[in-house]
Amino acid sequence: MHKNDIDTLQGQWLQISYERDGVMSPVDGEQGWSPLTTISGINFTVTIANGDTVLIGTFTLNSEHRPK
């Protein structure tokens, strides 16, 4: 894994879809969720529009797999 791969992901990202149990789904905008994912190092936090944190975790990148 190259350091640049992790560096590229740093910051805040507006979530437009998610995958659960292998099924991709769009974010339901009608519920006003507007999930925002913040990545710092290998840590991530997902918050929704009202400020509630709904998910915290860590991730790894597999440089051998495409996409990583």
Side-chain angles (χ1 to χ4, degrees):
M1 175 174 46
H2 297 84
K3 184 176 180 191
N4 284 343
D5 293 337
I6 294 281
D7 290 344
T8 301
L9 296 173
Q10 301 304 297
Q12 292 186 325
W13 300 85
L14 180 61
Q15 185 175 326
I16 59 172
S17 67
Y18 65 95
E19 181 177 336
R20 183 174 184 173
D21 298 326
V23 177
M24 292 293 294
S25 298
V27 171
D28 187 350
E30 292 181 11
Q31 291 186 14
W33 291 357
S34 301
L36 185 65
T37 300
T38 303
I39 298 177
S40 178
I42 61 165
N43 301 295
F44 69 90
T45 304
V46 178
T47 56
I48 55 177
N50 70 1
D52 287 349
T53 299
V54 294
L55 187 62
I56 297 173
T58 60
F59 67 94
T60 59
L61 296 180
N62 181 346
S63 60
E64 301 300 317
H65 191 268
R66 296 288 184 252
K68 296 178 183 178

